[in-house]
Amino acid sequence: MKSRGKILIGLLSGAAAGVVAGLLFAPKKGKDTRKAIADTSDNYYKGAKGRVTDFSDSVGHKIDALKAKTKANFSNSKSEEKINEAKAEIHEMKAS
């Protein structure tokens, strides 16, 4: 799994370097090249920001679900404890 991540990072880095090199060596005016670099950088930034937001939301939902499950389990164990106490009291009443 880690090697896949390294390969993906390497491919993305190579692609980004290729795009930058292509833009820098393209026969365009400096103003146009700078705008193209800024636009490309902005697109990458927005994409990364969106992925981070999605990941954060996903983790938040999982944490909320875990909290709800833990709370349900805790309340169920409390209920079982109360039921057992009530059964013990009934048993003691019958024994007296």
Side-chain angles (χ1 to χ4, degrees):
M1 180 102 175
K2 289 184 180 182
S3 64
R4 287 183 185 174
K6 288 181 181 180
I7 290 171
L8 182 61
I9 289 172
L11 288 172
L12 291 175
S13 298
V19 168
V20 170
L23 290 172
L24 291 175
F25 291 108
K28 292 183 180 180
K29 292 181 179 181
K31 178 181 175 185
D32 295 337
T33 301
R34 286 189 297 276
K35 183 177 179 346
I37 291 172
D39 290 345
T40 302
S41 299
D42 190 45
N43 289 339
Y44 282 126
Y45 172 75
K46 287 178 181 176
K49 184 178 178 184
R51 285 187 208 103
V52 169
T53 301
D54 292 345
F55 176 74
S56 176
D57 290 345
S58 174
V59 169
H61 290 301
K62 288 179 182 179
I63 289 172
D64 290 342
L66 182 61
K67 283 180 182 178
K69 185 177 179 181
T70 302
K71 186 176 181 179
N73 287 339
F74 179 73
S75 65
N76 287 341
S77 65
K78 282 258 188 193
S79 298
E80 285 181 37
E81 184 178 299
K82 289 182 180 185
I83 290 169
N84 289 335
E85 288 175 2
K87 285 180 181 179
E89 287 180 18
I90 292 171
H91 183 46
E92 288 175 10
M93 287 181 184
K94 286 183 181 180
S96 333

